[in-house]
Amino acid sequence: EVVTWGLGEGGGNTRDVAARLAAGVTSIISHGKAFEALKDTGEVVTWGDPESGGDSSDVADRLAGGVTSITSNSKARAFAALKDTGEVVTWGDPDKGGNSRSVAGSLASGVISMTGNASGFAALKDTGEVVTWGSRRHGGDSRDVAESLFG
C-alpha cells in the first residue's frame, strides 16, 4: 500500500488513485511535484501536479499494462515508460520530453533501455540505434550527430 502526505498538489493527496495503489506497487519514482508507481501487473499509476506529469490520462490506455520500467528527467516535468513490447510511452511537459511524436515511429518497438537527463531522454534500441527527444539544449535533438547514433 502507498501512503502519502504533504501538499496535495505536490503528490501528497492520492485520493483519486488510492484504490489502485492499495496493493501490487513494485516501484515509485518522482520528480518535482508528480509521482509514478509501477505495479506488478505492469500498470502505471500517476498522481500529483498535472503539469509535472501527474496526469497521464492522454496515454492511460497505453499504461494499463505491460510496462517494465519508468524513468523521468531530473529537472523537467516529463516521464517515459518502457513496455514489454519495446514501445516507449511518454507524458508530461511536452517541451521537456513529454511529447515524443517527432520520434514516435522509432519508439514504437525495439527499445531495450532508456534514460533521462535534465530535460531530455535517450532510448537504446535492439539495433544499437540511439533515439533522443525532449529539449534540444539538453540533448533531446540529436539530428546533427544522427549518423553516429545508428548501430
Side-chain angles (χ1 to χ4, degrees):
E1 176 182 10
V2 175
V3 178
T4 61
W5 60 94
L7 289 173
E9 65 271 13
N13 179 352
T14 57
R15 187 177 319 121
D16 293 343
V17 294
R20 293 169 55 207
L21 296 173
V25 174
T26 60
S27 65
I28 297 174
I29 66 166
S30 71
H31 71 77
K33 300 176 182 179
F35 292 83
E36 275 54 36
L38 179 59
K39 297 186 67 173
D40 55 12
T41 60
E43 176 189 9
V44 174
V45 181
T46 65
W47 71 95
D49 178 36
E51 294 178 11
S52 297
D55 178 3
S56 60
S57 58
D58 288 346
V59 293
D61 59 325
R62 295 168 59 203
L63 298 175
V67 174
T68 59
S69 66
I70 47 179
T71 192
S72 69
N73 48 23
S74 60
K75 294 183 181 178
R77 304 177 308 196
F79 291 88
L82 179 58
K83 298 191 70 169
D84 55 11
T85 59
E87 175 191 11
V88 173
V89 180
T90 62
W91 68 97
D93 186 329
D95 297 325
K96 308 299 184 190
N99 177 345
S100 57
R101 279 188 221 122
S102 65
V103 293
S106 296
L107 296 178
S109 64
V111 175
I112 57 174
S113 68
M114 61 185 179
T115 190
N117 67 9
S119 298
F121 290 92
L124 177 63
K125 297 192 67 164
D126 55 10
T127 60
E129 176 187 2
V130 175
V131 180
T132 63
W133 70 98
S135 168
R136 179 176 176 82
R137 181 175 168 207
H138 292 104
D141 181 348
S142 56
R143 286 179 286 194
D144 294 342
V145 294
E147 288 183 25
S148 300
L149 298 178
F150 286 92

